[in-house]
Amino acid sequence: DRKSLEDVESVSTITSSAIGRAGVFFKRAGDYVVVGEPIVEVLDDSQRFVVLDVPSERIADFTIGRELAVTFPGGVNRRGRVVRVAPQAVRDLKDSGAVVRVHVEQAGVVWPSIPIGTRVSGSL
């Protein structure tokens, strides 16, 4: 009956093997889920990175291991290191060029805590 279902629901616990902060919620209270379906994205502060869209004509300068300056909102400057370069360029919707996605992780002083999706800039 409904009462027994509510009792079971109130004692159900969902655990995660990841440690971090709850980020993007894919489901809300009352939504149906299936086994293995993501409910929330867990953000790991120890694995901070930014993704830079680099114009394809400049990609030769962004080699794995190269350090660069990363500027955060408020003019906060930090260092980053290129850890991955996408194998393929994608069309830049803002103009007629193409960009290559470059993943940069923190190097040196810890980066400021900012919301996911915040715009930052990188320079060599």
Side-chain angles (χ1 to χ4, degrees), residues 39-75:
I39 298 171
V40 64
E41 182 176 16
V42 178
L43 308 174
D44 182 353
D45 281 342
S46 68
Q47 296 294 322
R48 293 183 182 183
F49 68 92
V50 297
V51 178
L52 302 176
D53 287 338
V54 176
S56 59
E57 59 272 6
R58 301 264 337 266
I59 199 60
D61 297 331
F62 289 81
T63 55
I64 304 277
R66 177 124 191 221
E67 284 202 15
L68 56 130
V70 180
T71 304
F72 293 88

Side-chain angles (χ1 to χ4, degrees), residues 2 30 32 37 39 47 60-61 76 80 87 94 106 111:
R2 182 181 171 124
Y32 289 99
E37 184 177 14
I39 298 171
Q47 296 294 322
D61 297 331
V76 176
K94 296 181 280 290
Q106 62 187 14
W111 289 352

Side-chain angles (χ1 to χ4, degrees), residues 3-56:
K3 176 69 175 132
S4 62
L5 284 175
E6 288 173 350
D7 290 342
V8 169
E9 181 179 333
S10 68
V11 297
S12 297
T13 301
I14 298 173
T15 60
S16 171
S17 59
I19 298 171
R21 291 185 299 151
V24 177
F25 286 86
F26 302 116
K27 297 293 181 178
R28 295 179 297 182
D31 286 350
Y32 289 99
V33 295
V34 295
V35 173
E37 184 177 14
I39 298 171
V40 64
E41 182 176 16
V42 178
L43 308 174
D44 182 353
D45 281 342
S46 68
Q47 296 294 322
R48 293 183 182 183
F49 68 92
V50 297
V51 178
L52 302 176
D53 287 338
V54 176
S56 59

